[in-house]
Amino acid sequence: MKQFLFIQDGLGILSGDHLKSASDLGIPLVAVGLLYKNGYFNQKINGNGDQETEYNNINLYDLPIYPVKDEKGEDLTIYVKFPKRRLYLKVWQINVGRVKLYLLDSDIEKNNEEDRDVTLRLYGGDQEMRIRQEIVLGQAGVNLLKNYLKLNPTVYHMNEGHSAFLNLEIIKDIIKEKQVSFEVAKDIASSKTVFTTHTPVPAGNDIFPIELVEKYFKDFWPRLGLSREEFLMLGMKPNKELDTGFNMGILALKIAGKKNGVSKLHGAVSRELFGEVWPEIAANESPIEYVTNGIHTCSWLAPKIKELYNKYLIPYWQDSMYNDQVWQKVQNIPDEKLWEVHKDRKEKLLKLVKDNTTQRLRRSGYNYESINEIVSKLNPNALTIGFARRFATYKRATLIFKDLERITQILNNSERPVQLIFAGKAHPADKEGQDLIRYIHQVSMMPQFKGKIFLLENYNIAMSRYLVSGVDVWLNNPRRPMEASGTSGQKASVNGVINFSVLDGWWAEGYTQNNGWTIGTNSEYESYEAQDLADSESLYRTLEEKVIPTYYNQDKKGLSKKWIELMKNSIMTTGGKYSTARMLVDYTNNLYMPLCKLTKKYYENVDNVTAYNSWKKETYMNWKDIKITQVNNLDDITIDAGNNIEVACEVQLPNINVENINVEVYYGKILDNGVVENVSIIPMMLTQSDEETKTYHFKAKIELTTGGNYGYTFRVMPKHEMLLEPANLNLIKWITK
Ligand SMILES: *Cc1c(COP(=O)(O)O)cnc(C)c1O
């Protein structure tokens, strides 16, 4: 049986859902993370709207977690080397169904006071604390699995660069066990590693100052057989000079055999963002694919909604929910039933809003009358819009307040009232994020907005369940394209809550014209201000002209047929596709299994890898000698639609085997402004070989579906059965005209 290792970091909720679905599907996966004793912080919002952070130790006795024991029955402790000392780690275990999650804990007596805090808090310390945490996760994590638990994972899946030091640990072990060079060990490590990037901003990747990396790794790089310079370059773009920092994302990208972003759009953004890691390859062809995030559906469904699905979908629908067919039966749910359950969820949410708001304001010194003036206005019949997520500035929580006059009109229409509910934490060091919270608080206290805008404190999973099933509309307006995927909208849609969102992250592919609404366009703007203005205008207009009229288009029984149709479409179109069940199937088929097969077929045998490594070296050396020439000249051709053309080229390969290249034709339509549109790349066939002169002829047929002016060119890419992604080698040869 194969084992997959999953190293998790702060993307806690997604990771938890990943593990649950792996368990459901029986995928043999083991996970490693850090035991943050303080958890994330508790948030309080005071009478001024300031966020206050409160750290409490989580109570381990309240959690389904227990210490792992060694052979002698003692708590298992492992260690990792720090400068002039060892850091000891106690190992805990949580069973996530059939999947085991191990958590490392530095808070034990064997460590000095400072080291005990290494796993105290997520994002709690400075950069040195951060590098220590990442050494624990990456290096101690691998050590635990291999040497203590005696698991031998076939594939290691790194989520975000935080776990990327695991590459170094794997390579070090391979060098020692198999007595091979760094280069060969690195190839083996590549065949075992998957890297998922979760953020579209460069700052989302940890970049450590060189001095810190030196401090923690100067005794380590000799064990890899590397010089200081060679080691440091592993965390840098491949330019000549040493950079100022060691980038964990780049380390992961350089080694992982398979790499992905977390939505279709984010895949494209990541290819551009990290394009410089493969300088010879055009950025849009960087070897980064995508697997769109999802949610563990059953964990996020309100119980009564789940009962409806149990009744109206096929029996055991949960077992095949990644199949879209399963969801078609949502049509059969009677409108009144769906609406009744939704109204029930809404009432439960409004009760939570009332309690949360009352508590918060009471603590800030508001008296009974002024609190009652606010919470008594909560209206179960009003169109209710929810916005809940981290208060990071790119999510633009206050966009809906861009024009206060206009939003006043919208919220205060006595016939068609609208209420807004906000919740979310800002990073404790993010002052701008905290300013957003304060601003929302202040707006909610303006006379015209009292009892119309609610700001909840301490957003967490429990509250999230109420929000994503109890509001009518889920609002999401990030600054495109900064939202890598987003998952809370997926939680909402499967509960019949309608998404109203910027076409970013998952919604850019999830939106189908009839399952919700969009905000803004796909344009790029010259300034943030221009983007905010355009997007807020679009937001208001769609609210006024579409969302509100559809909601209030109710019959005598208070049902809006159109609205319920949207709810059903929303469930049917997203229930399967945006589940972690589908996500795990994709990861397994497209990333884990190709690596497993490659390992089984080739990489378990060191001789294969050594031969492959020599082939690579020779290919790098001889690549420049490849010559491509065009055979039939069709320059500046204008073709009628429906016509086929045949193109041919001649390739000279002085020192490279013709079996080890792919020749491709690259073509597209040239518009009047010179832009090339609808680029296609198709492989060419070998038609003629002359082994003496090492000259080979290739041809391809191009089918053109539309007429116009076309351009084309030829190129050569390396090919080898042990090479998963041709672009990984950063080799490409274009025709030289
Ligand atoms: C789902 C969830 C998130 C993540 O939401 P995104 O839309 O992916 O930003 C964050 N916090 C809580 C409590 C959640 O339930």
Side-chain angles (χ1 to χ4, degrees), residues 13-14 17 293 295 300 388-390 394-395 459-465 468 474 476 483 485-491 506:
I13 293 173
L14 177 69
D17 283 5
N293 282 343
I295 54 162
W300 291 103
R389 48 188 52 83
R390 274 182 312 119
Y394 79 86
K395 301 212 184 219
Y459 180 48
N460 58 21
I461 294 178
M463 182 188 287
S464 176
R465 288 185 206 289
V468 298
W474 196 254
N476 190 26
E483 183 89 296
S485 168
T487 53
S488 48
Q490 302 169 342
K491 299 168 191 168
W506 80 281

Side-chain angles (χ1 to χ4, degrees), residues 270-320:
S270 303
R271 286 193 285 279
E272 297 289 339
L273 185 67
F274 292 112
E276 285 170 85
V277 177
W278 303 274
E280 294 300 313
I281 309 290
N284 63 358
E285 291 193 63
S286 307
I288 301 178
E289 44 204 303
Y290 77 92
V291 176
T292 305
N293 282 343
I295 54 162
H296 186 257
T297 313
C298 289
S299 297
W300 291 103
L301 281 180
K304 285 197 175 150
I305 294 265
K306 204 188 289 175
E307 278 171 30
L308 280 185
Y309 297 169
N310 287 341
K311 187 154 177 210
Y312 291 95
L313 305 188
I314 56 170
Y316 303 108
W317 60 273
Q318 293 95 328
D319 291 347
S320 43

Side-chain angles (χ1 to χ4, degrees), residues 33-39 87 89 104-107 114-122 129 133 136:
L34 305 186
L35 182 84
Y36 295 117
K37 273 270 162 68
N38 270 176
L87 176 79
L89 297 153
L104 304 173
D105 173 14
S106 66
D107 185 22
E114 198 188 331
D115 282 350
R116 286 183 73 153
D117 285 350
V118 168
T119 63
L120 183 67
R121 284 177 194 175
L122 165 70
M129 180 61 92
Q133 292 182 331
V136 169

